[in-house]
Amino acid sequence: MVMAQHPSAATLPADPTLDEIRAALAPFVAASAAFDGFTTATLDEAADALGVDHDVARLAFPGGARDMVDAWFATIDTAMAERCPAEALATMKIRERITRLVETRIDLLAANRESLRRALALLALPGNAPHAAKLGWRAADLMWRLAGDTATDYNHYSKRAILTGVYGSTMAVFLNDESEGFAGTRAFLARRIDNVMRFEAWKHRRAAHRIERPSLARFVGRLRYPGR
């Protein structure tokens, strides 16, 4: 694998794998995508910036634009985890942890909002719907895991489905938010999370006051084994 000499190439190992090249190129692709979208020309420009041969760069993204978006979002996932270590989140309430994680993603994406707009437009195409769902679920799953969630029952899925919706709607507001520090987006996020927390509290109250209905199986069992 031949690498062109470039000062930025020091960020890669001497003999990088395609996965390492993909991860290294992703931020450069995102920085250039605001102008030309997630295209071959954008990838070539990113490859030049990192000193990677064009053909090698294309091998790293066999799925083209969709793979570029996937790789970029993966770098956001990684950066979010690094900025929100478990020991820092452990001192917060659950709602504060989720808020911190989503706001961290906002901060990480702020420099490339136009690229995000192009990425979401690409994922909105009918043929990319399954991949868009996968990426949304991946982000929500990571946020819940970083927040300390260990649920393995249906709550595991419901929490992630709800957060996927909250995150997606927050990103839609974020793309058009011109307020200072994206205050409008942060306020919208706070309202959405407040609504979710109220719903969760209602579910817990409902479960706590649920009247236990007679079980037919238990009744039949008692007929068969009177002593139990």
Side-chain angles (χ1 to χ4, degrees), residues 95-165:
R95 67 183 300 156
E96 294 171 339
R97 297 177 196 178
I98 296 299
T99 299
R100 171 68 64 85
L101 289 162
V102 176
E103 288 189 337
T104 297
R105 296 184 78 88
I106 290 172
D107 294 337
L108 290 167
L109 291 163
N112 293 304
R113 269 205 303 174
E114 186 56 37
S115 296
L116 177 62
R117 190 188 309 278
R118 288 177 176 270
L120 296 181
L122 174 70
L123 293 175
L125 296 175
N128 290 333
H131 198 67
K134 170 191 169 185
L135 296 184
W137 187 271
R138 185 176 74 189
D141 178 56
L142 177 58
M143 283 189 272
W144 270 117
R145 286 191 286 112
L146 290 173
D149 179 60
T150 57
T152 56
D153 58 5
Y154 77 95
N155 282 309
H156 172 91
Y157 301 98
S158 64
K159 286 179 179 179
R160 283 150 181 78
I162 291 171
L163 182 54
T164 298

Side-chain angles (χ1 to χ4, degrees), residues 95 193-203 205:
R95 67 183 300 156
I193 291 181
D194 185 57
N195 290 339
V196 171
M197 291 298 107
R198 290 186 181 189
F199 175 68
E200 289 297 318
W202 173 81
K203 281 201 312 181
R205 289 196 302 270

Side-chain angles (χ1 to χ4, degrees), residues 206-214:
R206 182 171 180 270
H209 293 87
R210 184 178 298 160
I211 299 175
E212 185 177 355
R213 299 182 182 279

Side-chain angles (χ1 to χ4, degrees), residues 214-228:
S215 168
L216 178 60
R218 188 159 55 244
F219 175 71
V220 172
R222 286 175 178 172
L223 289 178
R224 186 174 181 182
Y225 305 105
R228 297 186 181 183

Side-chain angles (χ1 to χ4, degrees), residues 19 54 69 93 112 142 152 185 217:
D19 285 342
H54 289 187
V69 173
K93 296 179 179 179
N112 293 304
L142 177 58
T152 56
T185 300

